[in-house]
Amino acid sequence: MLTGNLVRVRYSKSKVIPMYLDPTNPDLLETAENLLLIFRDGVGRTRGELEEEIQTLLGEGPPLSNIAQQGLAKVLEDRAEFEVVSEAHPEELRRVVFTLAAEERRSLRSAGYRAPFRRDKVLNEAAQRLNLTPDQVAAGLFADLKDENRMLGFDDLSPERLIQRYNVALAQAVLLKATLVTVRLRREPPDRLRRLFRRLKFHRLLHRIEGSPTQGYVIQIDGPMSLFTSTTKYGLQLALVLPAILQCREFELEAELRWGPKREPRSFSLSHRDGLVSHYRDADSYIPAEVRGFEERFRQIAPHWELAESSDLFELGGEGVWVPDYRFTHRHDGQTVFVEVVGFWKSAALERLLRTLPRHGPPLWLLSVTEKLKVDEANGPDWWSHPRLLKFREVPNASELRDRLDTLIGSHPSATAAPSPLNDALPTSPASPKRPTRKRHTASAPTPDLLAPDKGE
């Protein structure tokens, strides 16, 4: 992710326009290749050594050009793996060496004459105490400082792809200042739509989906600058969704921003015509390890339930579209419960779901809500006493969810018919099997689901 000092933009009235780089520019491609050579040969070297070589390469070029080149280097640094490399913990090394150095200086003063301080003597004594060599002691003494971290590996790419990644990172940095992001989609294959909707949820974003397969969809996503808390963490999750939006064949993105030290209102726009290239694979469907762990645990303790990821979309009577995460089907009587795992949430969004799902959703539904990720100060009713709401902290508790599902079907013994989901109206893409037609209506989803960092290329 580009830091604020590396974000290159220009302004047109109230618009913020990123200064993207041309991936076909020969001079830029040469600079990108030279930077790549530094990182390709950098395994085993310290971060400080790499930064010094980068500064030597970039020299004293024009300020704006230098910022762009520094941005390219930052993209590469984010693709490198750095770690503290030391034969002993640096804090322990410093404790021993500094103690011995203080003793040596006291010894010299007490001798009554001015003798030179012998660094090698202190290192030799420290090495004997720690069963290391003097070179190992010296190398590890400050190994935990950022500049002394050593590069263990590097995820390589081509110069052209590096410039493309920089352009995406520049747009992502602008979105960190958003209060509201609106995305309009048209003519998207149903499989890609479902993957995008699920990615919004796995990144826990506060969002609302409206529209239909024939008219297209409008997605409204709350920006990090609209939240009361967790703005940095939330902003990174929003940035991770942008490459998935870039995969869409036809989209329009409009963002309302709070820009600069005074947080002045500005706007930012992006579309498929801007030519930004996603680094996500089109078939990517990244599932965090903790989510997979929850699924495996549930299958172990609840064999009478069949757990499957839901691809259903439920329209909420003009108040958005609900995208549940899971479909739980009881193996004995066939009853189905749709479950959404809610991440970041606001009181108004949760209240809207609890109001609209009983009227427009399937007969059996449940919201599993994290109590940690409420991002506004508004106080609603006692959410946690609602029979269709189950709270969790980090990951849903499989045992509690099983018990709540058992209770739900016990109170709805004949809940077998459901309103018809929107996805039955979605055209079937050539690569996906046809789904049997159902009659079931649908609902909306404000906040999303669990997540961890995403995989790129």
Side-chain angles (χ1 to χ4, degrees), residues 258-264:
R258 287 291 180 266
W259 194 261
K262 297 182 179 180
R263 297 193 174 186
E264 298 174 345

Side-chain angles (χ1 to χ4, degrees), residues 55-103:
Q55 290 301 323
T56 301
L57 170 67
L58 301 185
E60 299 296 332
L64 280 179
S65 173
N66 193 265
I67 291 175
Q69 294 166 350
Q70 292 284 356
L72 292 171
K74 179 62 168 64
V75 172
L76 292 178
E77 182 182 339
D78 290 345
R79 298 175 68 86
E81 180 185 0
F82 291 92
E83 195 169 278
V84 175
V85 178
S86 177
E87 297 299 324
H89 198 288
E91 289 186 359
E92 176 64 12
L93 290 176
R94 288 194 290 271
R95 185 188 66 78
V96 173
V97 169
F98 292 169
T99 299
L100 291 173
E103 293 174 355

Side-chain angles (χ1 to χ4, degrees), residues 363-412:
L364 294 175
W365 54 270
L366 183 68
L367 301 177
S368 184
V369 182
T370 169
E371 57 184 340
K372 290 180 61 178
L373 296 181
K374 184 174 183 287
V375 290
D376 65 358
E377 289 188 298
N379 294 318
D382 183 8
W383 306 114
W384 310 124
S385 63
H386 196 285
R388 297 294 183 97
L389 194 149
L390 181 67
K391 72 176 179 179
F392 70 93
R393 288 190 60 81
E394 303 293 342
V395 179
N397 183 288
S399 299
E400 292 179 358
L401 179 58
R402 175 202 58 196
D403 295 343
R404 185 64 64 89
L405 293 175
D406 290 342
T407 300
L408 273 179
I409 64 166
S411 61
H412 290 77

Side-chain angles (χ1 to χ4, degrees), residues 235-262:
L236 294 176
Q237 298 302 313
L238 175 60
L240 290 173
V241 165
L242 179 61
I245 296 173
L246 296 177
Q247 289 179 315
C248 297
R249 64 172 63 156
E250 190 174 336
F251 73 91
E252 304 282 343
L253 182 152
E254 297 288 338
E256 299 174 11
L257 311 176
R258 287 291 180 266
W259 194 261
K262 297 182 179 180

Side-chain angles (χ1 to χ4, degrees), residues 4 33 82 91 99 120 139 151 156 170 172 186 191 193 207 248 281 331 339 341 353 366 390 397 403 415 442:
E33 179 63 30
F82 291 92
E91 289 186 359
T99 299
D120 59 334
M151 193 171 86
D156 204 353
L170 187 55
Q172 288 173 315
R186 292 180 294 275
D191 287 348
L193 280 172
H207 68 285
C248 297
R281 293 183 293 269
R331 296 184 187 275
V339 176
V341 182
L353 275 184
L366 183 68
L390 181 67
N397 183 288
D403 295 343
T442 6

Side-chain angles (χ1 to χ4, degrees), residues 42 44-51 82 147-151:
R45 302 176 65 189
T46 67
R47 191 192 300 265
E49 291 170 343
L50 293 175
E51 290 179 353
F82 291 92
D147 282 351
E148 295 300 317
N149 294 170
R150 294 190 180 272
M151 193 171 86

